[in-house]
Amino acid sequence: MRLSLRFILPLVLALSALAYVSVLVLDQLTTRWFIRDLDGRAQLIADSMQEPMSEMVGQRPAGKVIALFARAIRDERLYAIAFCDANRKVAFKTATFPAELNCVAPAPQADFAGSILRLEAGALYVSYFPVVLGAAPAGQLVIAQDMSFIERRSADSRNYVLALFLVLGIVVSLITVLVAHLSWRGWIAGVRSFLRGEGLVRPFDSSAAAAGTGMAAQPAAEIRPLVGDMRALLREVTEDRNAAEDVTAQWNPDALRRLLRERFYGDQILVVSNREPYIHTRSDTGIKVRRPAGGLVTAVEPVMRAVSGTWIAHGSGSADRETVDEHAHVQVPPDHPAYTLRRIWLTPEEEQGYYYGFANEGMWPLCHIAHVRPVFRRADWEQYVAVNQRFADAVVAEARTPDPVVLVQDYHFALLPRMVRDALPRATIIAFWHIPWPNQESFGICPWREELLDGMLGSTILGFHTAQHCKNFLETVDRYLEARIEHESATVSLGGKLTRVESYPISVDWPEERPDTALSAEQAAAKLRSDLGFNASHLIGLGVDRLDYTKGIVERLEAIETMLEKHPELGDRFTFIQIAAPTRSALGEYQSFEERVRATAARINARFAAAGNDPIRLLVETLDYSAIFEHYRACNVCVVTSLHDGMNLVAKEFVSARDDEQGALVLSQFAGASRELHEALIVNPYDIEQTAEAIYRALTMPAAEQRERMRALRSSVKDFNIYRWAGRMLLDAAGLRQRERVSDRIVSHRRRFMRSQAPG
Ligand code: F6P
């Protein structure tokens, strides 16, 4: 609808302006034509009266002259006629001759022989003609013609023109709407692929071209302004479409709280995740609290702060048990408590089987296309089932009402929605899958595929980051379960219960939670360079990841190596800082991955270390958010090269940290974030040459282009923030919940009616 209006509104305005101008021009033309006609008629009348008048002038037979005049004005357009004698006195006139007229001819109208006399009753066109007797002038004939017919005809032609434009407008609008709707989807798809660089391949250089590699992320210079415009247009379209789906335009903590009050009547909110938002650890200096790395906590924590409630998670810190009460509860955030963290204690066997084994050696590589083979062990599966049940029991124990809102996070808890549904049939269960969902064939290798799908379909809402993941999931259900899928409403019906499957792209808080001590971007840039002993113009690239094989860290370092080979002048002017938070280190796959990353960094440093500068600084540690934030603000380019990623919140965090509108983002096309962040330099991380060129391009990008791109990126992340993510899921859940309540009421009415009709 908006799309149609966008086309039609300018069209209607243009047609109206055209109609207005046409009417003005037409009015002038017709008036001119008609006056010429009046001139001709007046001349004709004067000519035909010349002879009788010259005969009568000498005799002055008043009756005859008046009769002649009366006959003449029978013509309805001839209004009055008079004869002025040689002394310029009216000698004969018709009764209609107006008092305002006399024998002195006024100055003629420009271009015409006569002149216009405007009276209250209407306008007259007056012409004066000499009457001669022999060769001598005897007086003059005054002929006044009625002009009202000109106005009538002008009005008629005006109406015709307006009607014509109206019909034209309707026809053109209909055609426009039809063509726009037919071509819109295809056009958008075309623009998206165009912006990704597909079809606009420009060789990186001759050697790259020879190697068959292309710089897909960089369109030719001559069409770059067009690409900028198209990006802006595409973003506008995406925003419009997304905004149309939302009831609340501006999503923030207050909007979320309002939604819960109005649509859920303040019902209790319970979150379930494996990773806890705050981890207490014992150190030499006492108990410390830290926030873990990972997108889930980054995204869900601000939502919980806004809505309160209880977050149920695995207590994994060495001092976690010391910091809870007798119900395993602790109020968090520690400095400004806003919600309750309920910790669940797992035995080492449970953690090994459920978390390391089934979740991280089975489901993680199953869902990410990173070419690491999934491992499925029955013993791990059994632990997975048992731990899901333990968390489900905790949900039931924490629930204060029969219908709480339960937000289930990620692939650690695929079975939990069904378990909670069985115990609390009226609960609203929103499950969100933070990682990709593979195609049905890939998923089909899991020995417990049916059980996992059935477990997930215990949810009211099942969310993924992208439409592609939803599509993959629905196809998987279609292939392996007897369920009814309604593609129109994106719902799956299993055992009479509905689950809505929808994409909800996750995001970050906005404005990003700023550390109290935050420096301005300029100060942060100066401080980091001086801390590292660099001069003010030293270029800094940044990577921030968990040390996970899906993040494309090795490929990224190889791209930097390639860039340094091609641009040796950067050798002592550029440093890449890779912050890599250790993760799942108990697993062999992660240990060998860490070794590969360390070895790659060491090799590159050995090759390029110029006077005092290691081009790669690898920090294998979990930094505080405030330290990461300052790196985001200080760097020239942030590089995200995931081989496969549900969303990747580092990309959005970086954008939200750059309030100076500087810095560039290089982003993998295989991260969900690339579906939204169109102004990033999008790369295929497997294409090392292309990634190298994109990083170089980011480092040499003019400040004005950085600003233009960053401004657009920031406006997109700002509007599509984490509150919108949560708000949209809650809104959809409220709709389904309402629907179920109404249908429950109908069923119970029907039962009561049937009972009342039963005999006896
Ligand atoms: O976003 C995916 C995810 O697995 C989250 O579920 C998790 O919190 C995060 O990455 C970090 O992984 P882990 O908790 O295994 O260290």
Side-chain angles (χ1 to χ4, degrees):
M1 187 63 194
R2 275 165 172 265
L3 172 64
S4 311
L5 282 179
R6 196 166 278 200
F7 278 106
I8 292 171
L9 218 60
L11 187 76
V12 168
L13 288 177
L15 281 177
S16 311
L18 200 62
Y20 179 72
V21 173
S22 309
V23 164
L24 280 185
V25 172
L26 195 78
D27 250 7
Q28 278 189 359
L29 277 178
T30 46
T31 309
R32 197 174 277 264
W33 287 335
F34 285 126
I35 291 183
R36 290 238 160 83
D37 188 34
L38 291 180
D39 274 339
R41 280 166 51 82
Q43 186 67 56
L44 212 65
I45 295 167
D47 289 348
S48 61
M49 287 200 168
Q50 184 66 35
E51 204 183 309
M53 281 308 295
S54 42
E55 279 171 16
M56 290 174 193
V57 165
Q59 306 156 14
R60 295 193 164 239
K64 274 190 176 179
V65 177
I66 301 289
L68 177 70
F69 285 0
R71 262 203 315 279
I73 65 166
R74 270 191 216 143
D75 176 341
E76 59 173 345
R77 285 200 223 148
L78 187 57
Y79 183 77
I81 193 162
F83 173 72
C84 297
D85 60 19
N87 300 322
R88 302 202 163 188
K89 288 241 164 63
V90 177
F92 309 109
K93 63 178 181 183
T94 57
T96 51
F97 195 75
E100 291 83 346
L101 266 182
N102 54 36
C103 294
V104 181
Q109 210 72 23
D111 288 349
F112 305 113
S115 52
I116 295 172
L117 174 69
R118 299 202 180 273
L119 301 176
E120 223 171 283
L124 296 178
Y125 189 72
V126 191
S127 318
Y128 291 77
F129 295 95
V131 176
V132 287
L133 188 57
Q140 53 186 351
L141 206 54
V142 186
I143 298 172
Q145 298 184 77
D146 182 8
M147 290 183 79
S148 61
F149 83 100
I150 298 183
E151 269 152 29
R152 275 198 310 276
R153 288 202 180 163
S154 286
D156 283 352
S157 10
R158 217 177 296 142
N159 290 343
Y160 283 131
V161 170
L162 289 177
L164 182 75
F165 273 99
L166 189 68
V167 172
L168 200 69
I170 292 171
V171 171
V172 176
S173 300
L174 286 176
I175 294 173
T176 308
V177 171
L178 193 69
V179 172
H181 278 275
L182 285 180
S183 60
W184 193 244
R185 281 169 184 273
W187 189 82
I188 289 288
V191 172
R192 280 189 198 291
S193 64
F194 175 67
L195 294 181
R196 282 197 294 272
E198 293 159 16
L200 287 170
V201 176
R202 204 186 77 158
F204 171 67
D205 65 15
S206 52
S207 60
T213 59
M215 183 50 213
Q218 187 180 3
E222 57 277 15
I223 57 166
R224 258 180 234 152
L226 173 66
V227 173
D229 287 353
M230 289 175 101
R231 274 202 192 95
L233 180 62
L234 184 61
R235 201 182 59 256
E236 229 179 86
V237 169
T238 312
E239 281 170 6
D240 275 7
R241 194 198 53 211
N242 292 340
E245 290 170 6
D246 285 331
V247 179
T248 312
Q250 267 303 315
W251 282 101
N252 52 32
D254 280 342
L256 205 54
R257 279 191 282 268
R258 206 166 43 244
L259 165 69
L260 281 168
R261 228 179 16 249
E262 288 168 6
R263 302 295 300 268
F264 290 88
Y265 317 105
D267 283 348
Q268 186 189 14
I269 300 276
L270 294 161
V271 167
V272 187
S273 76
N274 171 70
R275 189 58 64 202
E276 58 183 336
Y278 292 92
I279 303 179
H280 287 91
T281 47
R282 182 155 282 291
S283 73
D284 301 344
T285 51
I287 294 178
K288 284 197 171 145
V289 63
R290 68 174 173 86
R291 294 265 299 271
L296 186 157
V297 168
T298 305
V300 180
E301 214 276 333
V303 173
M304 272 310 265
R305 259 185 281 130
V307 301
S308 298
T310 301
W311 186 328
I312 301 168
H314 171 210
S316 57
S318 54
D320 273 359
R321 284 178 196 259
E322 295 166 55
T323 44
V324 295
D325 64 14
E326 70 273 26
H327 305 291
H329 286 171
V330 55
Q331 300 305 310
V332 286
D335 40 353
H336 301 103
Y339 62 94
T340 304
L341 171 59
R342 157 79 195 272
R343 286 176 170 146
I344 302 284
W345 315 115
L346 296 181
T347 64
E349 296 73 36
E350 282 174 326
E351 190 177 1
Q352 178 55 47
Y354 136 83
Y355 172 72
Y356 287 112
F358 194 77
N360 287 326
E361 287 191 291
M363 297 297 281
W364 182 265
L366 178 75
C367 292
H368 288 90
I369 309 168
H371 311 286
V372 169
R373 195 185 159 112
V375 180
F376 293 110
R377 303 180 197 93
R378 177 159 292 277
D380 292 345
W381 166 249
E382 282 162 7
Q383 290 290 5
Y384 186 83
V385 177
V387 171
N388 268 247
Q389 191 60 61
R390 285 197 56 202
F391 275 76
D393 293 345
V395 170
V396 177
E398 292 292 335
R400 291 194 301 265
T401 60
D403 54 359
V405 178
V406 187
L407 307 176
V408 183
Q409 308 301 315
D410 231 348
Y411 61 98
H412 309 91
F413 295 113
L415 303 176
L416 186 136
R418 171 72 59 218
M419 292 167 172
V420 172
R421 169 74 58 228
D422 290 345
L424 298 172
R426 287 172 53 204
T428 297
I429 304 172
I430 301 177
F432 192 79
W433 200 258
H434 288 257
I435 62 177
W437 188 272
N439 67 47
Q440 44 93 5
E441 274 183 8
S442 304
F443 188 77
I445 66 169
C446 176
W448 296 283
R449 61 197 183 199
E450 286 87 0
E451 287 88 336
L452 290 167
L453 293 171
D454 177 78
M456 292 170 79
L457 290 173
S459 319
T460 317
I461 298 278
L462 181 51
F464 295 92
H465 290 297
T466 69
Q468 182 62 49
H469 300 158
C470 294
K471 183 168 172 281
N472 288 350
F473 177 80
L474 291 175
E475 284 170 5
T476 311
V477 169
D478 200 23
R479 171 87 185 263
Y480 300 112
L481 290 188
E482 288 294 318
R484 210 181 67 243
I485 298 174
E486 293 281 353
H487 289 280
E488 265 306 274
S489 55
T491 50
V492 179
S493 167
L494 186 66
K497 282 283 173 195
L498 284 185
T499 300
R500 172 142 188 208
V501 179
E502 192 56 86
S503 65
Y504 304 97
I506 206 165
S507 193
V508 292
D509 195 358
W510 189 281
E512 183 56 60
E513 177 198 348
R514 302 249 180 277
D516 292 342
T517 54
L519 304 172
S520 72
E522 211 177 318
Q523 290 165 334
K527 180 171 180 297
L528 185 66
R529 282 166 181 76
S530 114
D531 288 353
L532 296 175
F534 301 144
N535 63 37
S537 61
H538 196 85
L539 297 169
I540 292 182
L542 177 68
V544 180
D545 306 84
R546 285 184 307 105
L547 197 38
D548 193 296
Y549 55 81
T550 58
K551 301 295 179 184
I553 300 173
V554 171
E555 289 75 2
R556 185 183 311 167
L557 298 184
E558 285 172 358
I560 289 163
E561 183 177 26
T562 303
M563 180 184 77
L564 292 175
E565 277 166 11
K566 292 182 183 297
H567 301 282
E569 73 281 4
L570 287 178
D572 60 350
R573 290 188 50 220
F574 168 74
T575 301
F576 188 79
I577 301 174
Q578 175 63 56
I579 300 171
T583 183
R584 307 171 192 171
S585 326
L587 295 177
E589 196 69 51
Y590 284 79
Q591 291 159 7
S592 58
F593 180 67
E594 182 176 338
E595 278 166 25
R596 273 183 66 208
V597 171
R598 284 187 187 279
T600 311
R603 180 174 55 74
I604 297 171
N605 282 341
R607 265 191 81 187
F608 295 99
N613 181 36
D614 279 351
I616 311 287
R617 301 245 169 155
L618 178 62
L619 309 176
V620 180
E621 57 187 300
T622 306
L623 292 190
D624 275 356
Y625 180 68
S626 57
I628 296 177
F629 180 74
E630 288 196 354
H631 279 78
Y632 283 145
R633 282 157 86 78
C635 70
N636 300 90
V637 53
C638 179
V639 186
V640 174
T641 48
S642 311
L643 303 181
H644 202 190
D645 216 332
M647 171 57 67
N648 193 290
L649 289 184
V650 166
K652 292 188 175 180
E653 276 186 327
F654 167 65
V655 166
S656 79
R658 295 311 293 255
D659 52 15
D660 61 334
E661 297 179 342
Q662 288 297 291
L665 174 64
V666 172
L667 178 59
S668 164
Q669 70 184 80
F670 306 122
S674 69
R675 305 274 161 250
E676 292 171 79
L677 303 181
H678 306 295
E679 292 77 11
L681 299 177
I682 307 291
V683 295
N684 171 359
Y686 290 92
D687 186 339
I688 304 295
E689 298 272 340
Q690 187 198 71
T691 309
E693 172 61 4
I695 298 173
Y696 180 72
R697 185 168 167 221
L699 289 172
T700 53
M701 187 181 282
E705 186 180 347
Q706 291 180 46
R707 177 160 294 110
E708 193 198 331
R709 287 175 181 267
M710 187 53 78
R711 204 170 271 176
L713 288 168
R714 284 174 64 77
S715 111
S716 150
V717 177
K718 177 174 181 247
D719 289 348
F720 294 89
N721 58 32
I722 189 59
Y723 304 106
R724 183 177 293 244
W725 171 77
R728 282 192 53 219
M729 286 196 292
L730 286 165
L731 268 178
D732 286 350
L736 282 186
R737 189 161 141 133
Q738 180 70 11
R739 217 166 112 177
E740 293 218 333
R741 279 184 179 161
V742 170
S743 77
D744 284 354
R745 238 175 280 154
I746 293 171
V747 170
S748 72
H749 274 305
R750 206 171 43 213
R751 282 211 193 105
R752 241 178 288 145
F753 175 76
M754 299 292 272
R755 271 203 300 274
S756 71
Q757 298 297 305

